[in-house]
Amino acid sequence: MKKTITFAVALALSSASLAAHANKLELRGSINYGYSQQADERIEFSQATYLIEVSQQANMPLVYAASSWGQYKDAIEQVTVSIKDAAGNDIIVNQPITVAAELTPLANTFYFDQGRYTDFVSWTLNGVTAAGMNSQTKLNLQGPRESFLASTAEFPRFISNPRYVNATLTSSVETAAGTSLLYLQGPVTSIQEATLDSDGDGVLDDLDSCPGTDARATVVVGSNDSGVTNSVDAAGCSIADHVKACFAEANNHGDAVSCVSHLAKELRQAGTINGRDQGQLLRSL
């Protein structure tokens, strides 16, 4: 029974990791040149800093993946932009149109390409507003190979402090009064994956294989407090979560005890608990 239970737990962990992604990315950098224009009003800005927030959909199915590139559809919910001038004052700019509130998306994708010398990613959101106006938003990032994307094994992950990465954002909406434009270009200084940690276990939701972590200070089995420190692993699962998984998958109490016994042995061998903890955990069953 041990092998069946262990496999079920491992399968649950791997399935969660394959769906991992960031809910929001915060891109910070400086502007070499940019402008915001609506009708006859045009605001130009240079020597300014920007914060671009890319809110992503909760689920991004893979459209195509090869050895070097991939594209995700229905990727974006919203792109927002905050700009400060050299003195730190806010510059009011026209915001790109969002998906949920105003836009019928015709193209809504996240694309990445790992080339031989450079990494390239692009968010594209093109569609039509409720008033029948065309809307186009594109955010491109490009930087040196292996200094930009930290991983593409799951959903692509970014290096927090990338080197020499340039951003270009263009957003336009064709309106009755003319075309509203937002454009900026400049280097990225930081990329922050601003994902929540809903269960407070120290592991972000997009990496958490146990989203409802039992985070009590000690491992409690039923009504028995083992007194063993209830540590959380890198996947966001506490010892108590693993114990509960043993009981959930067991056909009877004996199978559950066998599973927890093997779990305790593995935790001791890994140095997560000591021999005394191992005994206390088993006595609480």
Side-chain angles (χ1 to χ4, degrees), residues 18-271:
L18 288 174
H21 60 82
N23 293 326
K24 180 184 286 187
L25 289 178
E26 296 179 349
L27 311 171
R28 298 179 186 272
S30 57
I31 298 175
N32 292 334
Y33 175 71
Y35 64 88
S36 177
Q37 180 172 334
Q38 188 166 9
D40 295 331
E41 182 181 7
R42 182 184 179 99
I43 302 173
E44 295 189 2
F45 33 86
S46 60
Q47 297 183 343
T49 59
Y50 64 79
L51 166 61
I52 301 174
E53 297 175 284
V54 183
S55 298
Q56 300 176 148
Q57 299 281 12
N59 186 25
M60 285 182 262
L62 186 63
V63 175
Y64 181 85
S67 60
S68 63
W69 72 279
Q71 181 174 328
Y72 292 75
K73 68 178 182 179
D74 300 328
I76 308 172
E77 289 181 343
Q78 183 176 5
V79 176
T80 59
V81 184
S82 302
I83 298 177
K84 294 183 180 294
D85 62 21
N89 301 311
D90 291 325
I91 299 175
I92 306 302
V93 298
N94 300 319
Q95 296 294 323
I97 290 182
T98 66
V99 172
E102 303 173 72
L103 196 63
T104 301
L106 301 178
N108 180 2
T109 61
F110 170 76
Y111 166 86
F112 72 90
D113 187 353
Q114 286 188 293
R116 183 174 180 180
Y117 300 108
T118 62
D119 290 334
F120 176 81
V121 301
S122 176
W123 290 264
T124 301
L125 178 59
N126 297 337
V128 180
T129 71
M133 305 300 179
N134 291 322
S135 174
Q136 299 181 347
T137 297
K138 178 168 283 190
L139 172 60
N140 295 330
L141 304 180
Q142 187 167 6
R145 186 77 166 88
E146 298 179 351
S147 66
F148 181 25
L149 292 173
S151 170
T152 57
E154 301 168 359
F155 183 77
R157 298 193 168 279
F158 298 90
I159 294 174
S160 297
N161 297 301
R163 294 184 296 113
Y164 316 122
V165 174
N166 284 309
T168 303
L169 172 69
T170 57
S171 175
S172 66
V173 182
E174 181 185 76
T175 70
T179 300
S180 171
L181 294 172
L182 173 64
Y183 172 83
L184 64 86
Q185 185 276 328
V188 178
T189 56
S190 71
I191 303 177
Q192 177 68 41
E193 296 180 358
T195 312
L196 298 176
D197 177 15
S198 300
D199 56 9
D201 62 0
V203 179
L204 297 180
D205 289 350
D206 68 327
L207 294 175
D208 201 333
S209 297
C210 297
T213 298
D214 182 343
R216 286 177 288 185
T218 56
V219 180
V220 179
V221 184
S223 60
N224 300 322
D225 189 343
S226 68
V228 176
T229 299
N230 188 28
S231 59
V232 178
D233 60 25
C237 298
S238 66
I239 295 176
D241 291 329
H242 290 300
V243 171
K244 288 179 181 178
C246 281
F247 277 88
E249 295 293 327
N251 292 324
N252 52 58
H253 186 73
D255 288 338
V257 171
S258 176
C259 177
V260 175
S261 177
H262 288 292
L263 170 66
K265 181 180 179 181
E266 291 174 357
L267 291 172
R268 180 178 59 79
Q269 290 175 338

